[in-house]
Amino acid sequence: MRLTARGLGHRFDDQPFLFRNVDLDLEAGRTYAVTGPSGSGKTTLLSILAGWVRPTEGEVDRGDASTVGWVFQNPHGVFQRTALDHVSLPFIAAGSSRADADRHASALLEDFGLGHRAETRFSALSGGEAQRLLLARGIAAAPALLLVDEPTAQLDPLTSATVNAALGAAAGRRSIVVIATHDAGTRDACTDHIDMATFA
Ligand SMILES: Nc1ncnc2c1ncn2[C@@H]1O[C@H](COP(=O)(O)OP(=O)(O)OP(=O)(O)O)[C@@H](O)[C@H]1O
Ligand SMILES: [Mg+2]
């Protein structure tokens, strides 16, 4: 799986260009940290990679990377369902038995420091727990392209470290993972670094 971008540039309406001349070659099994100051266009670049925003200039070739997952900054889950349910469902949707799905999901919950919250309803999770849960779910769904926006923005340093370690481990899977972040720990946990400052 491979995604290429050539000569990407974007501006909104008559605003100045946020970035230009962005060339990317993204491969499955790698994690890409997108860094840069607030307003530099990180979320916009993710939206372009997802195909949700048409770039002002340039092309994205998604090849056979047809499925796109997105973990947003503000986590949305199903209030009455448990944490385990949220992560099991993508495995069941992909054809696993309930028992296998729960086993895989439990392991992912452990990776994200949520093993003790498996039977907790979404509505009773803290903001940081909900954020980690939806990361685990995003990885469970194993999309060709997984886009993650500011995964540690609302977490304390210790919890951020747990999430960063788990995100690093996600690189071993089949997805291309692209993570917009201000967190040096997240950047260091990724295999590759895309710095928006180099495209301004
Ligand atoms: N739909 C839109 N229409 C007009 N301007 C927009 C739109 N979306 C984003 N912008 C502007 O484009 C700039 C880049 O926004 P973007 O959200 O991509 O930045 P970012 O790097 O993700 O910032 P942050 O770190 O704060 O999340 C900002 O100035 C923003 O106000
Ligand atoms: Mg953003």
Side-chain angles (χ1 to χ4, degrees), residues 136-168:
R137 186 179 68 175
I139 287 169
L145 177 63
L146 179 62
L147 302 163
V148 184
D149 207 356
E150 307 279 1
T152 60
Q154 45 178 318
L155 305 181
D156 61 85
L158 201 66
T159 312
S160 294
T162 312
V163 168
N164 290 336
L167 283 171

Side-chain angles (χ1 to χ4, degrees), residues 12-13 18 36-45 73 149-150 182:
F12 286 104
D13 307 317
L18 289 169
S38 180
S40 60
K42 299 182 296 297
T43 298
T44 302
L45 178 63
Q73 210 164 338
D149 207 356
E150 307 279 1
H182 291 283

Side-chain angles (χ1 to χ4, degrees), residues 54-74:
R54 177 194 277 275
T56 310
E57 299 176 339
E59 304 286 338
V60 177
D61 181 357
R62 238 165 264 106
D64 54 358
S66 55
T67 52
V68 180
W70 189 300
V71 181
F72 294 95
Q73 210 164 338
N74 298 308

